[in-house]
Amino acid sequence: MEFKKKTLSNGLDIIGEINKAAKSTAVGFFVKTGSRDETKQINGVSHFLEHMLFKGTEKLSAFEVNEAFDKTGAEYNAGTSEENTIFYAKVLPEYLPEVTKLWIELMRPALRDEDFNMEKNVIQEEIAMYKDMPNFDVIDRCRTLHFDEHPCGNSVLGSEESVGDMAAEQMREYFSGRYAPNNMVFACAGNFDWDEISSIVETSCSEWQKQPVVRELEHCRGSKKKQRIEKPNLVREHICLMSCGVPAQDPTRFAASLLAVIIGDSVGSRFYWELVDKALAEAAIMQFGAMDGTGAFCSYIRCSSENVRKVLDTVGGIFHGLSESGITEDELKKAKNKILSALVIKNELPMGRLVDLGFNWIYLKQYRTIEDDVEAIKAVTVSEVRSLIEQLAPGDFTQFSIGPA
Amino acid sequence: MNFCLLVEFLFLDNTIRYKRYEKMAENVDKHILKNGMVVLGEPMVGVESVAFGFMLPAGAARIPEGCCGASNVITDWIFRGAGDKNSRELGDALDGLGLHRASSVSSSNITLGAALEAGNLTEALELYADIILRASLKEDQFELAKQLAIDSVRALDDEPRQKVMLKLREQFYPPPLGRSTAGNIEELKVITAEQTGQIVKDNFNLSQTIFAVAGKYDFDSICRQIEDLFATNISTALGTPYEGRLSAEGSETKDDGRERSKYVHIDNEGAQVHIGLMTETVKPTDEDYYNARVAVSVLSGGMSARLFTEVREKRGLCYAIGARYHSLKEAAGIMCYAGTIPEKAQETLDVIIGEFERLGEGISEAEISRAKVGLKSALILQSESSSSRAGAIGSDYYMLGRVRSLDEIKNKIEQTTTNLVLDFLRNNKFKGFTVVTIGPKKVSI
């Protein structure tokens, strides 16, 4: 694997990792913008905008965009989070130049009023869809409660009201401030010709104008509030717990990931043996999410209404045990094996490499090989995890529950 | 898009069974043990991982009446202690190998799958032999596994999108093929450890088990190991699965005179009406199979396909809309999902049915060409993942009795033409639709 990089004078970073043995290539744009960069008035605009980029340019209609992608057989999509919007495609190498040109063109969308008004319906449907998925809904609401007034608490989807009231002009203004070349990364991983692809990007993107881009980077320890709402049509209790983590730039993020696996991997973790194995809850998982300048541990638990008390007592006991006695060598070894094998499996696919390549650049401006990550994970010690537990107090969490009346 | 294309796969010529094993020109290894268990392998260059799956004939449709959900209980129960290890020791041993488990229940099989680093494969297979042949099956552990299976069925009430598709299959396929792979609460409540243990004895039948592996491995040593671990245990796992009914009732579903237009509504005060719709089509063994796949791709292959364009892009009726080909060994259908707010549910359904019916009236060359390139690309993109490959060669062998080569599939897709697809659609008109909705409002069919 060979890493290549070029930065245009307008600040656009072009990065690539070449693997000539791969059968395919993954390619996309990483844009450093998400719901945390929105004001309350335009909450949901980053996600709505991600949809609007597929609605065409001055030259292409929405249908022509879809048609052009489908002609290449590419599997393509986009996603928006609290802090990033990514556009990606998995493609056979012979179609890569065509797909690269398409992504570049889409990054300068027409944002037409009629498309905006039609797509608003689709966004409202997406908001409605997630309301019928309590496992997502509870995490979204818990994030808002946890981050409180911190912008990372902004909902990615926005609300029916914020999206309903949004005007196309507000989106155009947001777009011109955030989709600046110095706030974007073009990345490519897999089997491709670097000179060919980088020159396509350079030729087409050099005229994009640099803009001053800022983001609030305040750390957040979380509100630690507790809240429950009722929905009469539900039959299970959905519980989300969120506590303070470490930022994506922090070297202890590897220890934090291992801690989350030890506490809440879907099998073999403390949650698993104490809650799922004993049939107190049918799902109990924890994940660690490192973010720009902050981070959070997030747990999702689903159980019957009768078991809620027992489940929360057990969770309390697990966190108490961790703060009293830390973790064992054996637990750490197992967690390392799980993370390392997941890393190997994921990175065998160009799409898996693209995600790591892009995010390492977004957060660290750094190229990291798979081996760099393997070494960092192997180097974590029991005492490092222990001091992380002391520092972050994962048992001191924000809690949101949704359940039947 | 929310639906992926059905995974497709590599080749193997069934005429050379009973050889020790043969490295095929097409890059697929095959060996059949004396007890009939099939071992398939596809080596992959440049990977450090390996993925494997045991397909055991104990899926939802292959177990006795009155035990719906037992397959799910079994996939949990057999991991709660096996060989000389108790539940905790077994879990720790699997975790120690960094193994990522993926057990699943389909209509036909229980698949015990895993992905891991290649160096740990030998130890992993030893543990899986214990789990399959020597599970402890303790009664106290049964109650916990059963409780979790009941809870996961209850949880479906909070996940209407998943529930609607399970209910759709139940309505569409003739019994027992459509049986819920999650289970039936009333039946789960009364099943006993004894009954469920008997299903393990009867249905973990090695003569009908397929083992598939893909990634980095040495086929010679895998065959030796599987032979040592499984062939010597013929007497412990050669029961008779309950599948006589399945093949008798399920083999001809095309013209059995059943009423195809059926509608079921489940009331739920949620935000959306979740619509599942299914109509019959040809099975993978049919000569028109590839014409059907291309037709479905014209309908819902990419974002320029008919459903996405007409339902979402032009009318803004849905966020999630898609159709895919779905097949069992005995019957097949085109399965469609859409989720929409109650006020738009009727229009959504009408537009979807309109698009199904309009398909046979005409398809452009450009649409066929996009459908074909999409299917061919998906084939190659999926071929880079060891888990996809292991699942694919196993399911091909189960469905067809052989594994198709990538070239065979590519050529067959290539051979389809606009006229052939249209002829197929005109000769096989959609015979009505099975529809299930979950939400605050009914629709009319």
Side-chain angles (χ1 to χ4, degrees):
Chain A
M1 301 227 196
E2 189 187 357
F3 176 70
K4 295 279 194 181
K5 166 193 172 276
K6 187 181 248 183
T7 303
L8 304 186
S9 58
N10 60 13
L12 179 71
D13 284 325
I14 307 167
I15 56 171
E17 185 184 69
I18 303 157
N19 174 11
K20 287 288 178 199
K23 290 183 196 166
S24 71
T25 313
V27 60
F29 274 98
F30 289 68
V31 189
K32 212 170 157 180
T33 202
S35 55
R36 70 182 292 178
D37 304 302
E38 301 166 352
T39 60
K40 294 263 180 269
Q41 290 72 34
I42 53 163
N43 182 211
V45 71
S46 309
H47 168 254
F48 191 170
L49 180 57
E50 171 232 296
H51 279 233
M52 285 300 292
L53 262 80
F54 291 89
K55 304 302 275 186
T57 64
E58 294 305 332
K59 282 195 275 177
L60 298 173
S61 70
F63 182 72
E64 284 165 338
V65 169
N66 293 338
E67 202 181 23
F69 271 116
D70 286 346
K71 266 187 198 164
T72 68
E75 290 177 7
Y76 60 106
N77 211 334
T80 308
S81 72
E82 290 76 18
E83 54 190 16
N84 294 299
T85 309
I86 67 167
F87 299 84
Y88 56 91
K90 294 184 269 181
V91 63
L92 302 187
E94 60 264 39
Y95 292 109
L96 179 66
E98 212 170 319
V99 170
T100 301
K101 286 175 195 163
L102 258 173
W103 279 136
I104 292 169
E105 192 170 346
L106 260 54
M107 292 302 120
R108 289 296 173 263
L111 304 179
R112 287 177 277 260
D113 282 355
E114 61 269 35
D115 292 330
F116 178 89
N117 294 331
M118 179 58 83
E119 196 63 16
K120 202 180 256 192
N121 293 306
V122 175
I123 303 290
Q124 297 285 22
E125 286 294 342
E126 195 174 349
I127 292 171
M129 178 183 87
Y130 282 107
K131 279 190 185 160
D132 278 357
M133 298 167 87
N135 48 339
F136 281 88
D137 195 27
V138 74
I139 292 171
D140 213 33
R141 288 170 188 263
C142 190
R143 183 179 295 279
T144 302
L145 187 69
H146 176 75
F147 282 99
D148 217 2
E149 289 305 307
H150 188 282
C152 285
N154 292 350
S155 157
V156 173
L157 290 170
S159 64
E160 279 164 352
E161 297 71 33
S162 67
V163 170
D165 294 343
M166 203 182 293
E169 189 48 42
Q170 290 175 300
M171 178 181 281
R172 289 191 274 264
E173 196 182 322
Y174 178 83
F175 169 81
S176 58
R178 303 300 303 181
Y179 279 62
N182 48 315
N183 202 37
M184 301 167 78
V185 177
F186 171 89
C188 199
N191 189 352
F192 69 101
D193 179 337
W194 165 257
D195 290 338
E196 182 189 17
I197 297 304
S198 62
S199 87
I200 290 174
V201 181
E202 187 169 6
T203 311
S204 315
C205 304
S206 290
E207 286 177 13
W208 295 359
Q209 294 298 308
K210 199 171 183 163
Q211 305 277 349
V213 185
V214 286
R215 169 180 281 173
E216 297 283 335
L217 276 186
E218 203 185 333
H219 186 44
C220 176
R221 292 200 61 88
S223 71
K224 298 169 184 116
K225 289 177 185 166
K226 311 272 187 275
Q227 198 182 329
R228 179 177 189 272
I229 58 164
E230 292 176 352
K231 284 195 172 182
N233 65 324
L234 294 184
V235 298
R236 312 295 286 172
E237 189 79 5
H238 302 259
I239 305 166
C240 180
L241 313 175
M242 220 169 254
S243 65
C244 176
V246 295
Q249 293 85 354
D250 192 319
T252 62
R253 66 187 182 278
F254 296 102
S257 297
L258 286 160
L259 177 60
V261 169
I262 289 166
I263 299 175
D265 195 27
S266 60
V267 285
S269 62
R270 293 202 181 191
F271 276 1
Y272 175 81
W273 289 113
E274 295 301 318
L275 296 170
V276 181
D277 182 68
K278 294 182 174 143
L280 287 175
E282 73 258 23
I285 50 166
M286 177 191 263
Q287 289 183 328
F288 166 63
M291 300 174 74
D292 203 1
T294 187
F297 289 92
C298 174
S299 304
Y300 169 72
I301 300 168
R302 188 173 65 232
C303 62
S304 67
S305 302
E306 306 85 72
N307 282 354
V308 172
R309 176 56 36 218
K310 211 167 175 185
V311 163
L312 290 173
D313 287 348
T314 306
V315 167
I318 290 170
F319 285 124
H320 181 70
L322 280 167
S323 69
E324 289 288 300
S325 331
I327 59 158
T328 66
E329 285 286 354
D330 190 47
E331 277 181 309
L332 183 63
K333 190 173 148 224
K334 279 184 290 180
K336 283 183 180 179
N337 285 343
K338 284 185 187 179
I339 291 191
L340 290 173
S341 64
L343 196 70
V344 168
I345 294 163
K346 173 185 164 195
N347 281 292
E348 283 173 357
L349 300 174
M351 192 59 215
R353 273 315 289 157
L354 182 81
V355 169
D356 282 2
L357 186 71
F359 284 132
N360 282 330
W361 203 263
I362 284 276
Y363 289 119
L364 309 168
K365 282 249 176 195
Q366 194 185 97
Y367 170 64
R368 292 182 63 86
T369 62
I370 304 163
E371 291 71 34
D372 291 337
D373 284 351
V374 167
E375 289 312 313
I377 290 159
K378 282 186 177 167
V380 173
T381 64
V382 166
S383 67
E384 276 176 281
V385 177
R386 174 94 201 229
S387 56
L388 203 64
I389 295 168
E390 281 168 18
Q391 179 200 329
L392 299 174
D396 207 1
F397 48 75
T398 307
Q399 178 185 326
F400 199 99
S401 315
I402 306 182
Chain B
M1 295 294 291
N2 295 284
F3 290 99
C4 353
L5 294 159
L6 186 81
V7 185
E8 297 260 7
F9 316 75
L10 275 238
F11 165 121
L12 194 68
D13 188 342
N14 204 22
T15 56
I16 49 126
R17 294 173 71 132
Y18 307 119
K19 283 192 179 176
R20 168 80 177 92
Y21 89 86
E22 183 139 337
K23 202 132 195 128
M24 306 294 296
E26 292 283 354
N27 208 23
V28 170
D29 300 317
K30 175 185 162 191
H31 174 59
I32 297 181
L33 305 194
K34 291 183 200 77
N35 60 18
M37 179 172 167
V38 176
V39 181
L40 302 169
E42 186 183 305
M44 292 167 66
V45 182
V47 298
E48 292 302 318
S49 75
V50 66
F52 66 83
F54 288 90
M55 292 168 72
L56 299 150
R62 286 167 117 167
I63 60 171
E65 288 285 337
C67 301
C68 185
S71 304
N72 249 352
V73 178
I74 290 167
T75 55
D76 186 319
W77 195 21
I78 54 177
F79 281 91
R80 291 174 176 265
D84 59 0
K85 293 183 176 59
N86 66 26
S87 180
R88 185 65 193 243
E89 289 161 350
L90 179 61
D92 285 349
L94 291 166
D95 281 354
L97 299 176
L99 182 133
H100 295 265
R101 297 183 226 172
S103 302
S104 62
V105 176
S106 70
S107 168
S108 50
N109 297 301
I110 285 178
T111 300
L112 305 179
L116 65 160
E117 288 187 86
N120 291 333
L121 180 62
T122 307
E123 281 177 79
L125 291 179
E126 280 169 16
L127 295 172
Y128 272 76
D130 278 346
I131 292 160
I132 292 167
L133 300 171
R134 288 174 292 278
S136 312
L137 306 181
K138 296 237 168 77
E139 190 140 358
D140 56 333
Q141 295 291 331
F142 172 79
E143 291 305 325
L144 297 169
K146 174 171 145 176
Q147 187 58 50
L148 285 171
I150 292 171
D151 287 346
S152 67
V153 178
R154 288 206 174 108
L156 282 172
D157 283 340
D158 289 357
E159 296 169 22
R161 208 177 141 155
Q162 279 190 43
K163 185 174 172 169
V164 78
M165 298 319 268
L166 278 171
K167 191 76 194 163
L168 179 64
R169 288 170 50 164
E170 227 173 300
Q171 294 300 308
F172 175 78
Y173 288 116
L177 296 176
R179 256 186 214 160
S180 167
T181 48
N184 172 299
I185 293 217
E186 298 315 313
E187 294 183 15
L188 273 169
K189 276 183 185 162
V190 296
I191 58 165
T192 63
E194 198 186 338
Q195 273 174 302
T196 311
Q198 191 61 43
I199 296 173
V200 174
K201 273 201 193 117
D202 292 339
N203 284 65
F204 280 22
N205 180 327
L206 297 181
S207 72
Q208 292 176 45
T209 294
I210 299 167
F211 171 77
V213 59
K216 184 176 176 177
Y217 65 84
D218 178 89
F219 197 64
D220 232 350
S221 63
I222 281 192
C223 286
R224 266 199 304 275
Q225 194 191 0
I226 295 276
E227 189 103 47
D228 286 350
L229 292 172
F230 290 91
T232 52
N233 283 287
I234 298 171
S235 60
T236 58
L238 263 184
T240 312
Y242 292 78
E243 64 171 350
R245 301 188 59 244
L246 186 144
S247 48
E249 287 188 19
S251 58
E252 271 310 320
T253 57
K254 212 171 168 179
D255 293 306
D256 62 354
R258 286 185 315 127
E259 178 55 59
R260 295 282 166 201
S261 294
K262 290 179 288 187
Y263 176 48
V264 172
H265 174 75
I266 300 167
D267 215 35
N268 176 37
E269 287 306 309
Q272 285 191 311
V273 177
H274 301 267
I275 305 169
L277 172 148
M278 201 160 176
T279 188
E280 191 183 339
T281 192
V282 295
K283 294 185 283 184
T285 44
D286 196 288
E287 57 178 18
D288 269 321
Y289 169 69
Y290 292 93
N291 289 325
R293 294 299 307 271
V294 172
V296 177
S297 198
V298 169
L299 199 60
S300 190
M303 293 196 212
S304 68
R306 300 251 178 118
L307 285 179
F308 195 84
T309 304
E310 296 298 326
V311 180
R312 177 165 151 170
E313 299 283 83
K314 287 192 187 165
R315 295 178 177 83
L317 294 171
C318 293
Y319 166 73
I321 167 74
R324 67 181 178 105
Y325 177 84
H326 185 270
S327 148
L328 307 177
K329 197 171 185 174
E330 301 80 5
I334 305 171
M335 183 185 247
C336 176
Y337 169 83
T340 182
I341 55 170
E343 304 81 69
K344 295 179 182 170
Q346 187 65 51
E347 187 186 354
T348 300
L349 181 71
D350 293 344
V351 175
I352 291 170
I353 290 180
E355 287 307 317
F356 269 85
E357 286 175 343
R358 198 168 67 89
L359 201 57
E361 290 169 17
I363 300 173
S364 72
E365 293 289 342
E367 285 179 294
I368 292 286
S369 154
R370 290 200 300 275
K372 284 161 71 168
V373 76
L375 288 169
K376 284 186 288 182
S377 287
L379 202 64
I380 299 166
L381 292 174
Q382 284 157 356
S383 76
E384 291 188 295
S385 148
S386 52
S387 296
S388 289
R389 295 307 308 152
I393 57 175
S395 104
D396 233 20
Y397 195 88
Y398 172 73
M399 288 282 193
L400 307 169
R402 68 186 185 100
V403 184
R404 291 166 298 166
S405 74
L406 199 63
D407 281 345
E408 176 187 338
I409 300 169
K410 272 168 78 178
N411 289 338
K412 294 279 189 186
I413 295 168
E414 207 41 70
Q415 283 162 18
T416 58
T417 64
T418 309
N419 285 338
L420 288 171
V421 175
L422 283 171
D423 284 348
F424 159 71
L425 288 166
R426 286 164 190 158
N427 295 332
N428 296 270
K429 288 211 163 51
F430 299 122
K431 284 186 200 161
F433 300 90
T434 303
V435 178
V436 178
T437 52
I438 299 182
K441 198 175 174 185
K442 277 187 181 181
V443 292
S444 11
I445 309 295

